[in-house]
Amino acid sequence: MILPSPHADSDNWTLTTTPVRSPRGAVAAQHRLAARAGAAQLEAGGNAVDAIVATAYALNAVEPWMCGLGGSGFMVIWLAREQRAVALDFQGTLPAAIRLDDYPIDPARPHTPMGFPGVVDDANIAGYRSITVPGAVAGLDHALARFGSRPRAEVMAPAIALAERGLQVDWFTTLQIALCAPTLARDPTSAAIYLPGGHPATPESHLRIPQLADTLREIAAGGAETFYRGELAKQIVADLQAGGSRLTREDLAGYAVHEYAPMLASHRGYTLYTPGETSGGLRQREMLSHAGAAMPVPPARPTPATWVAYAEALEACWRQHKIRTGVLPPSAGEDVNGGNANGESIDGEHGACTSSMSAVDADGNMVALTYTLLNRFGSGVTLPTTGMLMNDSVSYFDPRPGYPTTMAGGKRINSSNMCPTVAVKDGEARFSVGASGGNLIMPAVTQVAALMMDFGMSLEEAVQHPRLDASHRGSIRVDPRFDAATLAALESRFPLEIAQSLVFPKLYACVSGVARDPESGECVGLHDPTQPIGGGATPAPFQLDPLTDTAPEVRP
């Protein structure tokens, strides 16, 4: 059965993207300028960790709606000389004083992107009560101090320069703002920045985020210490509490990054490293195990049976995930066409956000980083004293009592779709891949990785290959670029939704990655073709283009 889709014939673009190549390393990110900020660290003699941290900080100024200082996430690092992988969990934590009474369930509200019930006034997804302790600064500072090689001030210099320049508004930026205009309008500071005159900022205008450059400078000077226990912490908490948050100085001061051995999965001679059970890594391992059993010896190229095996594997691992998190009851049947516990389809990824980036250096060190504000523009709150856009990660938690992810004081986010992955074979990091897109992340990342491992595809071939999406929500979504035989095989097994790969909504996630050939040393960086501002970069000094600095400035 083919289900009607509003995205079946809504566009007619043929989307491709060109990889960057260099023997000295490469960076891929959801914004080209951020990738260049990272690649500049390689040019200056830094390593892949320096590059990824510079990239992540730069995104605060060029893609603030997806991630930033007010967010949280995961990182996986392959240390070539030590022949080992490290995972960093810098996920957010709930205020110690959080109360379920602050989040009464409203049956009229839609489910959150994580599949949990909506609450009155959207208090778990918008505004000050939706904010958790952000782990991003702690995670980036930890990575740089432990595994980087360059001074923090130099690594953060491009981000500061970009914040000083301000945000150049193009059509894609206007789209992002317009999608979240009602949430941004709830917060006076955010509205003043992104909705000048009460309307989304228009293309060819210029937005400056007040205090952001100064905040980045203070972090460059004082690191995580000032953010969590120093002067910045004082300013952050004052703003939060003035807006109604229950976060305290003690909540910030007690925050800690978790460094640990990552989860691994073995597939076709590769070892894949992910952050583990609280990320999409467990589902990835389950999917690959299921697909490997269904396809012990892959054919030369993917066949219709390949895609049926991938879809069945994704459905199976997502069903188990939804049982583990309480979205489905333990007694849920085996029907792959299920939804949530109420029989509804959970498909909140259209509003989800995240940013994923990867880096590799000439020595073979490789890093995958994914971090997020959760929803696009997070809570919609910009802290007036620091210019930080804050997360809405309270929506990672269930507002109902008695579930594995129920809200509780100090609780750390323990269920995420993020799935940064580093793949190693014969002691060499071969590729790193991650994605943004909520529920879409793990299926997309795992398909790209599987195509490379099962069929020897290059990163470019795998990222640009048609994908499907399956997450035990009631149907399988399929790109119409698949051949007729594949579509027929999938339709014989699942209700099918034919939907194009679009700039918006991103129905198959937004993938970025790097790869390295250990024989030639060539490094490749590539970003998803549906992200018009994304791209890769190779080592070069970081320079702003003076031609883009002449637009009229819009001040709040």
Side-chain angles (χ1 to χ4, degrees):
M1 178 176 63
I2 296 179
L3 303 176
S5 169
H7 311 299
D9 296 300
S10 60
D11 216 335
N12 61 357
W13 298 101
T14 299
L15 301 171
T16 60
T17 189
T18 303
V20 299
R21 303 177 187 276
S22 170
R24 298 193 297 139
V27 181
Q30 287 183 196
H31 199 289
R32 292 184 297 275
L33 280 176
R36 292 175 194 166
Q41 309 309 309
L42 302 178
E43 172 71 12
N47 63 23
V49 174
D50 300 316
I52 210 76
V53 172
T55 302
Y57 275 123
L59 287 167
N60 282 270
V62 294
E63 196 194 37
W65 50 86
M66 288 292 185
C67 63
L69 305 177
S72 58
F74 294 107
M75 188 184 306
V76 177
I77 306 168
W78 172 254
L79 301 167
R81 182 176 297 177
E82 299 179 31
Q83 288 284 285
R84 70 183 180 102
V86 175
L88 302 181
D89 174 335
F90 50 97
Q91 289 283 66
T93 56
L94 290 171
I98 198 165
R99 296 167 47 186
L100 283 177
D101 291 348
D102 288 339
Y103 306 92
I105 292 172
D106 182 354
R109 301 301 305 158
H111 284 77
T112 71
M114 301 303 294
F116 303 133
V119 305
V120 172
D121 197 34
D122 289 333
N124 58 345
I125 62 172
Y128 281 84
R129 289 279 171 91
S130 69
I131 299 169
T132 62
V133 175
V137 173
L140 298 177
D141 207 44
H142 182 99
L144 192 63
R146 290 270 291 125
F147 308 109
S149 64
R150 304 199 70 224
R152 186 192 307 115
E154 294 180 19
V155 169
M156 293 185 65
I160 294 168
L162 287 165
E164 285 283 12
R165 183 201 68 165
L167 180 62
Q168 305 286 353
V169 180
D170 55 18
W171 68 267
F172 189 73
T173 304
T174 299
L175 170 65
Q176 305 308 307
I177 296 170
L179 289 168
C180 297
T183 301
L184 293 169
R186 292 174 53 152
D187 180 65
T189 304
S190 292
I193 296 169
Y194 300 105
L195 304 172
H199 303 283
T202 56
E204 300 187 7
S205 62
H206 182 163
L207 301 180
R208 184 173 174 82
I209 303 173
Q211 284 74 57
L212 179 60
D214 289 340
T215 298
L216 289 167
R217 281 194 195 90
E218 190 159 346
I219 294 169
E225 182 63 27
T226 185
F227 190 95
Y228 292 93
R229 288 168 286 279
E231 183 59 31
L232 267 181
K234 180 179 178 181
Q235 296 170 8
I236 291 166
V237 170
D239 280 349
L240 286 169
Q241 293 185 349
S245 172
R246 295 188 182 276
L247 278 166
T248 66
R249 291 284 299 274
E250 290 73 24
D251 290 324
L252 280 179
Y255 185 80
V257 176
H258 292 173
E259 178 185 322
Y260 54 98
M263 172 179 284
L264 60 87
S266 298
H267 190 77
R268 315 291 188 201
Y270 288 81
T271 300
L272 276 69
Y273 295 97
T274 61
E277 295 189 8
T278 59
S279 73
L282 178 58
R283 278 166 283 166
Q284 181 188 88
R285 185 168 70 179
E286 291 172 343
M287 184 276 188
L288 291 172
S289 175
H290 191 291
M295 189 171 51
V297 179
R301 300 297 289 177
T303 66
T306 300
W307 292 102
V308 170
Y310 284 176
E312 289 179 339
L314 287 168
E315 286 289 288
C317 72
W318 266 96
R319 175 183 171 275
Q320 290 302 316
H321 172 70
K322 290 180 177 181
I323 290 173
R324 285 191 293 264
T325 58
V327 174
L328 281 175
S331 59
E334 293 293 336
D335 180 9
V336 296
N337 302 321
N340 66 11
N342 300 315
E344 302 169 2
S345 173
I346 298 170
D347 194 11
E349 66 268 14
H350 294 181
C353 85
T354 293
S355 202
S356 188
M357 61 219 77
S358 291
V360 58
D361 61 35
D363 294 326
N365 301 299
M366 194 174 283
V367 189
L369 165 63
T370 308
Y371 82 130
T372 186
L373 297 174
L374 191 55
N375 277 323
R376 185 179 283 103
F377 283 100
S379 61
V381 169
T382 300
L383 299 185
T385 306
T386 61
M388 291 167 44
L389 191 59
M390 300 302 291
N391 68 80
D392 66 325
S393 295
V394 167
S395 57
Y396 271 114
F397 299 89
D398 200 319
R400 303 167 297 178
Y403 288 88
T405 52
T406 295
M407 297 175 189
K411 192 171 188 176
R412 198 178 191 94
I413 295 169
N414 63 8
S415 178
S416 170
N417 291 306
M418 292 182 284
C419 195
T421 301
V422 174
V424 175
K425 186 176 183 181
D426 299 328
E428 300 272 2
R430 301 299 181 95
F431 65 86
S432 164
V433 66
S436 63
N439 290 350
L440 306 170
I441 292 174
M442 190 284 299
V445 168
T446 306
Q447 282 174 81
V448 168
L451 289 172
M452 295 179 74
M453 295 183 294
D454 288 344
F455 303 103
M457 287 189 186
S458 68
L459 178 66
E460 181 180 6
E461 289 177 300
V463 168
Q464 299 190 149
H465 196 284
R467 297 195 284 269
L468 57 78
D469 182 67
S471 55
H472 199 71
R473 67 170 184 273
S475 66
I476 301 296
R477 185 183 293 127
V478 184
D479 190 322
R481 293 181 296 156
F482 278 109
D483 61 88
T486 297
L487 295 176
L490 289 166
E491 185 188 357
S492 71
R493 181 69 182 89
F494 308 99
L496 216 58
E497 178 187 348
I498 308 296
Q500 292 188 48
S501 182
L502 305 170
V503 171
F504 180 82
K506 282 184 167 55
L507 302 175
Y508 303 99
C510 185
V511 176
S512 66
V514 297
R516 182 174 181 270
D517 182 336
E519 293 185 6
S520 68
E522 182 180 68
C523 301
V524 177
L526 184 72
H527 194 70
D528 200 282
T530 64
Q531 179 83 351
I533 62 174
T538 53
F542 182 76
Q543 294 179 329
L544 292 176
D545 183 352
L547 295 179
T548 65
D549 289 326
T550 58
E553 184 172 356
V554 178
R555 290 183 177 272

